[in-house]
Amino acid sequence: MRSASPAPRVFRILLAVVIASAAWEVARANRRFPHLGRLRELHRRESSPAAEQEAAARGLLERLLPSHSASFEFRVISKEHCGGKACFVINNHPLFQGEGTPEILILGVSGVEISAGLHWYLKHYCAAHISWYKTGGAQLSSIPFPGSLPHVPTGGVLIQRPVDWSYYQNAVTSSYSFAWWDWDRWEKEIDWMALQGINLPLAFTGQEAIWQKVFQMYNISKSDLDDFFGGPAFLAWSRMANMHGWGGPLPQTWLDDQLALQKKILSRMYAFGMFPVLPAFSGNIPAALKSKFPSAKVTHLGNWFTVDSNPRWCCTYLLDASDPLFVEIGKLFIEEQIKEYGRTSHIYNCDTFDENTPPLSDPNYISSLGAATFRGMQSGDDNAVWLMQGWLFTYDPFWEPPQMKALLHSVPVGRMIVLDLCMLHNFAADFEMYGVLDAVASGPIDARLSDNSTMVGVGMSMEGIEQNPIVYDLMSEMAFHRREVDLKVWVDAYPTRRYGKSVRGLQDAWRILYQTLYNCTDGKNDKNRDVIVAFPDVEPFVIQTTGLYTSTRIESSVMSSKNIIVKDASSDAYDQPHLWYDTSVVVRALGLFLQYGNEVSDSNTFRYDLVDLTRQVLAKYANQVFLKIIESYKSNNMKQVATLCQHFLDLVNDLDTLLASHEGFLLGPWLENAKGLARNRAQEAQYEWNARTQITMWFDNTETRASLLRDYANKYWSGLLRDYYGPRAAIYFKHLLLSMEKNEQFALEEWRREWISLTNSWQSDRKVYATTPTGDALNISRSLYMKYLRSPDPLEQVTGPSGKSATS
């Protein structure tokens, strides 16, 4: 390995300013957690050569901004130049001689730091913006031409990480978002990670092939594993012992292709200087192991969300921690990964009893489980560190202080990292404009500076990506801030960066969105349960209709909570949509988007935000329409019910047309990407069924009993609204009107039978959906605003002022 390039004299002077305090912080952390100090040293010694990391950053630049590939020079420096901490330094290049020569020199302790430095420069000096492709992609139009890039202050800009690691992903993101990715999509994601400064990503792809190799050592065949692995869209939950076999079996080509893909992913992550987190053994075993080792201590876990405890899918097997096989299998799995991949970052994820309750609450049992889990890792890698999601402690009341302490104290201090999941921002990759920007801007700072803080990193653990770009733009930046961000200034600058132009009206709109959609202070994590995408499966008289929706009067200009009535959810039999803001104020923000949209209509980032905001507003309006339907049903106003039902269905179809205007809201790519990984027609059908099922029924059902996880991964995707959500609502409304016509009870059982039949048919259907957008987002949004929102009371437009149905 060649030594890192020495820092020029000007940077040495700059870096000396922070050397003393940074070195003291590092020394204190190493004394408190000595193994983490050793891990840092291992990472330094085993990291990719400086030249390889510089090349990775150059490759990223050429993919992101090829026109400026000669405008930047990158160099890796050692941590000693940063006081033992990770940092990047941006300076004007001392040898700049005009266009075609380097203008900006970026130094960093790794390829990730260099890439984050590049992003920092483009963001804060060129007013550029980088988000996921589906959320509008990169806004780079504001970057000046080569030869005229903005200078940074004399002496340079030094940005140092307050804590070592920037973590990324949830254990289920691999299925909700990454299930159908090929290398081209993974390459884009790893570039995005590097630009955001992420250096601790989960790397779960391809692990089934490793398990196959391990279990072959116990004479367990591929056919024995067919009932163990889930299908491609459900692997996350078979890995966590929640279920088995659902959506499978996995073809051998899938196992082989995913292993090859994982090797590419890891190679690129290591090239950037990332520390990919590999999986470890939690005790989850195939049924065949129990039959081949009848004396082994094996526990049969309970039901996880099947309709009727169907053993074909539920009730997985857990090898007891006290059994000698436990550590042995754990050791073999770690060793096989290192052998297959050629290296490791020594950090392993293992989530014991994730949404499964342990068979015993005895703290001694819990402690032995934790100790055995860690021994399995350590036996395969003496320097192993266990990384665990803290979700189980929140999810299951089983985990009281004695049980928590038993698990956490079963591992030597400094050998376990617990993710607190404070940034569990999105569930199941559903759609909702939601966030708490104030908490994002202050939370990491408060946690780091709190008494007896054991914080070693920041991170994002969303269940699904490609949503709410403002939240992730801010959160990734927090990995480099030592002080709380001035959000007023930050939010005012956000639309200029995102759209490439300063537009006062759009700044005003984003101030409103910051105070409403992105100011959720009711303490609830959001899970989208809008009626369109999560239709209530209840008899109509069960649904309460008083005080559940707010005014949408567009003349309101300030946030007001007086219209919002908080209701005890336990008094209702269906999941009510979460509403934490005055909808009328958000409608006003949409009006500003439409008023000033012509100025940035060529911006893909603007078009994404416009479609998303219009979708958000109309989805909440649809909730009100539905409640008005139920209210009219209860008052036996059949004409009004019929009018409102048609209004609701028209709205669903109009929303589908809106969503079709941007690539971020299309069903087609999800299905086509699934089929694209298949090797033959049978696999195409299987993979497409997996993709369709995850976003609708999710899990098993009977003819009249829907899955307990129905609509959990709901999506506002064009094609899905028109062909599934709309027809489903139409079935419910048909039975609603029949009930009134015949003066009979609502036929709940018959509604369920027809809806489930519709779902099963749609899941098995092979209709092809568009993969490219159609229509002009701005014009469509304007027309829908005029159709549904221009009136001070939109519902009165439909029903008439006295509650009588308005004529169309």
Side-chain angles (χ1 to χ4, degrees):
M1 178 189 303
R2 75 173 178 84
S3 60
S5 303
R9 184 172 179 276
V10 65
F11 300 127
R12 294 176 193 161
I13 296 171
L14 179 65
L15 293 168
V17 176
V18 296
I19 276 280
S21 61
W24 179 79
E25 287 182 23
V26 172
R28 181 181 64 168
N30 287 346
R31 284 196 304 270
R32 194 170 184 189
F33 306 114
H35 184 77
L36 292 185
R38 291 196 295 274
L39 183 62
R40 293 184 188 98
E41 175 59 21
L42 275 173
H43 284 165
R44 185 191 68 79
R45 286 195 281 110
E46 297 175 359
S47 63
S48 298
E52 185 178 345
Q53 298 193 47
E54 291 166 1
R58 282 196 301 271
L60 184 160
L61 173 62
E62 289 165 4
R63 289 186 291 275
L64 176 71
L65 199 61
S67 58
H68 290 65
S69 60
S71 300
F72 296 87
E73 183 180 343
F74 301 142
R75 296 183 196 163
V76 170
I77 57 176
S78 69
K79 278 191 176 181
E80 282 67 30
H81 291 106
C82 298
K85 301 283 281 187
C87 78
F88 59 80
V89 184
I90 309 169
N91 213 315
N92 307 310
H93 201 288
L95 303 179
F96 173 57
Q97 295 178 343
E99 184 179 349
T101 63
E103 301 172 67
I104 300 296
L105 175 62
I106 301 179
L107 312 178
V109 303
S110 71
V112 169
E113 307 306 317
I114 290 171
S115 303
L118 172 65
H119 185 202
W120 191 278
Y121 175 78
L122 296 177
K123 182 176 183 178
H124 296 289
Y125 291 90
C126 301
H129 175 86
I130 296 169
S131 68
W132 290 293
Y133 168 76
K134 281 192 173 183
T135 58
Q139 185 293 109
L140 306 175
S141 63
S142 57
I143 301 173
F145 290 115
S148 56
L149 290 179
H151 284 194
V152 298
T154 302
V157 176
L158 167 69
I159 303 294
Q160 186 186 60
R161 286 186 190 266
V163 286
D164 287 321
W165 290 311
S166 182
Y167 170 82
Y168 179 55
Q169 294 178 43
N170 187 295
V172 301
T173 318
S174 58
S175 290
Y176 281 134
S177 292
F178 307 161
W180 313 116
W181 284 7
D182 57 12
W183 168 242
D184 182 64
R185 181 60 186 87
W186 263 111
E187 183 175 52
K188 291 180 173 65
E189 191 70 9
I190 296 170
D191 282 352
W192 181 89
M193 292 182 203
L195 289 162
Q196 310 302 324
I198 291 162
N199 59 10
L200 192 68
L202 288 187
F204 275 14
T205 304
Q207 64 177 278
E208 282 66 35
I210 303 293
W211 280 119
Q212 183 184 39
K213 293 173 186 290
V214 169
F215 286 127
Q216 279 175 348
M217 300 177 194
Y218 295 95
N219 200 30
I220 293 174
S221 67
K222 166 69 171 64
S223 61
D224 290 330
L225 295 174
D226 284 349
D227 185 49
F228 181 56
F229 299 137
F234 301 97
L235 285 174
W237 300 276
S238 65
R239 292 166 180 169
M240 294 187 294
N242 299 138
M243 64 180 193
H244 62 95
W246 179 252
L250 290 177
Q252 186 63 46
T253 53
W254 173 274
L255 300 174
D256 297 340
D257 291 347
Q258 291 291 296
L259 181 60
L261 178 60
Q262 170 75 335
K263 290 178 179 179
K264 285 187 176 181
I265 292 167
L266 291 175
S267 178
R268 182 61 58 83
M269 287 179 173
Y270 285 127
F272 273 111
M274 294 179 183
F275 315 116
V277 179
L278 297 175
F281 180 55
S282 65
N284 181 27
I285 59 169
L289 189 74
K290 182 179 182 296
S291 63
K292 293 184 185 296
F293 295 88
S295 61
K297 298 178 182 177
V298 175
T299 300
H300 209 188
L301 294 176
N303 182 34
W304 186 82
F305 289 114
T306 64
V307 170
D308 53 6
S309 299
N310 189 337
R312 186 179 176 189
W313 319 120
C314 86
C315 314
T316 54
Y317 290 101
L318 182 80
L319 183 63
D320 194 279
S322 64
D323 194 287
L325 276 175
F326 193 102
V327 172
E328 182 181 301
I329 293 173
K331 174 178 181 289
L332 289 171
F333 183 64
I334 298 296
E335 289 178 338
E336 190 62 32
Q337 287 187 103
I338 296 173
K339 174 185 172 184
E340 196 71 38
Y341 305 141
R343 61 190 297 185
T344 177
S345 66
H346 309 289
I347 304 175
Y348 303 94
N349 172 261
C350 184
D351 295 316
T352 54
F353 296 109
D354 197 314
E355 300 190 8
N356 276 316
T357 302
L360 298 173
S361 61
D362 182 356
N364 291 326
Y365 170 79
I366 302 297
S367 181
S368 69
L369 171 68
T373 302
F374 179 68
R375 277 200 309 276
M377 298 178 206
Q378 190 179 29
S379 298
D381 178 359
D382 190 52
N383 294 294
V385 170
W386 178 1
L387 182 142
M388 182 185 77
Q389 294 188 141
W391 175 249
L392 72 168
F393 300 139
T394 302
Y395 177 84
D396 193 338
F398 167 91
W399 293 98
E400 295 183 346
Q403 287 73 33
M404 286 189 252
K405 181 178 179 181
L407 181 58
L408 297 176
H409 286 213
S410 66
V411 179
V413 173
R415 303 295 287 263
M416 175 184 277
I417 300 171
V418 179
L419 304 172
D420 66 11
L421 298 190
C422 286
M423 192 59 182
L424 180 51
H425 171 252
N426 169 276
F427 289 88
D430 64 6
F431 288 74
E432 182 85 280
M433 295 181 77
Y434 155 83
V436 197
L437 293 185
D438 286 328
V440 172
S442 61
I445 312 299
D446 295 342
R448 181 172 59 84
L449 298 178
S450 63
D451 292 340
N452 300 315
S453 173
T454 58
M455 180 176 171
V456 296
V458 296
M460 301 178 284
S461 53
M462 71 298 280
E463 287 195 353
I465 66 166
E466 298 173 323
Q467 36 81 27
N468 287 292
I470 189 173
V471 175
Y472 298 96
D473 189 28
L474 178 60
M475 186 63 214
S476 61
E477 191 177 304
M478 293 309 298
F480 299 97
H481 281 296
R482 292 180 167 271
R483 297 180 183 85
E484 187 173 338
V485 172
D486 185 335
L487 269 187
K488 184 180 184 302
V489 173
W490 195 93
V491 171
D492 277 351
Y494 178 77
T496 300
R497 293 196 303 265
R498 182 147 170 84
Y499 308 140
K501 186 184 293 186
S502 178
V503 180
R504 181 66 180 270
L506 295 177
Q507 286 181 313
D508 292 341
W510 272 103
R511 288 189 197 107
I512 292 173
L513 299 183
Y514 162 46
Q515 295 163 0
T516 53
L517 299 177
Y518 295 106
N519 184 37
C520 181
T521 57
D522 62 8
K524 296 179 182 177
N525 284 330
D526 189 67
K527 175 72 185 77
N528 189 297
R529 305 310 293 170
D530 288 336
V531 171
I532 290 176
V533 294
F535 207 85
D537 177 27
V538 292
E539 197 274 345
F541 273 105
V542 171
I543 301 171
Q544 293 199 10
T545 55
T546 56
L548 286 183
Y549 51 91
T550 67
S551 166
T552 57
R553 294 183 181 275
I554 61 175
E555 62 266 22
S556 177
S557 61
V558 296
M559 176 67 176
S560 170
S561 60
K562 65 182 181 180
N563 292 332
I564 300 175
I565 300 176
V566 179
K567 180 173 162 292
D568 180 4
S570 64
S571 65
D572 210 337
Y574 79 100
D575 263 347
Q576 301 165 32
H578 177 204
L579 190 61
W580 64 95
Y581 59 90
D582 186 338
T583 55
S584 65
V585 184
V586 177
V587 172
R588 181 171 177 268
L590 175 58
L592 290 171
F593 264 69
L594 297 174
Q595 182 179 347
Y596 294 95
N598 283 338
E599 297 189 42
V600 289
S601 60
D602 59 342
S603 164
N604 195 27
T605 44
F606 171 76
R607 292 194 298 272
Y608 172 86
D609 290 345
L610 174 65
V611 172
D612 203 20
L613 181 57
T614 309
R615 174 208 58 75
Q616 179 83 12
V617 168
L618 291 178
K620 303 311 170 192
Y621 172 62
N623 294 342
Q624 299 174 39
V625 175
F626 177 77
L627 290 172
K628 191 67 177 178
I629 290 170
I630 301 303
E631 185 180 88
S632 302
Y633 175 84
K634 291 178 179 179
S635 61
N636 203 31
N637 188 337
M638 189 171 179
K639 184 177 180 181
Q640 186 159 293
V641 169
T643 299
L644 287 167
C645 286
Q646 188 58 54
H647 186 66
F648 185 98
L649 296 175
D650 289 345
L651 176 54
V652 172
N653 284 333
D654 285 343
L655 258 175
D656 193 275
T657 300
L658 170 74
L659 298 174
S661 67
H662 194 279
E663 54 267 25
F665 299 93
L666 300 178
L667 167 65
W670 173 253
L671 301 183
E672 293 307 307
N673 290 342
K675 291 185 285 184
L677 296 184
R679 295 288 196 92
N680 54 50
R681 290 178 180 272
Q683 289 180 15
E684 272 193 15
Q686 180 191 4
Y687 295 177
E688 185 171 0
W689 183 91
N690 268 255
R692 286 171 174 257
T693 299
Q694 190 206 85
I695 60 176
T696 50
M697 196 60 80
W698 208 106
F699 211 0
D700 69 327
N701 58 266
T702 65
E703 286 187 2
T704 57
R705 295 179 65 201
S707 165
L708 301 177
L709 293 173
R710 63 187 181 273
D711 294 329
Y712 183 76
N714 58 59
K715 304 285 186 294
Y716 279 101
W717 277 343
S718 176
L720 193 57
L721 272 74
R722 189 176 299 276
D723 286 356
Y724 180 66
Y725 293 139
R728 175 174 64 177
I731 294 170
Y732 190 89
F733 295 154
K734 178 188 75 174
H735 286 288
L736 210 61
L737 290 165
L738 282 173
S739 163
M740 300 180 79
E741 185 181 310
K742 297 179 179 179
N743 195 26
E744 296 175 351
Q745 277 192 325
F746 180 82
L748 185 62
E749 190 88 347
E750 200 50 44
W751 134 253
R752 286 174 174 162
R753 187 182 301 279
E754 290 188 47
W755 157 40
I756 292 170
S757 176
L758 166 75
T759 307
N760 292 340
S761 296
W762 191 86
Q763 288 172 174
S764 299
D765 196 30
R766 303 301 307 277
K767 178 178 177 179
V768 175
Y769 290 89
T771 58
T772 55
T774 56
D776 182 273
L778 186 55
N779 287 338
I780 295 169
S781 180
R782 281 176 173 154
S783 68
L784 296 186
Y785 184 94
M786 295 299 291
K787 181 175 181 179
Y788 293 105
L789 301 168
R790 65 175 174 172
S791 167
D793 191 339
L795 273 175
E796 192 173 279
Q797 284 282 106
V798 183
T799 62
S802 62
K804 298 177 180 178
S805 298
T807 57
S808 53

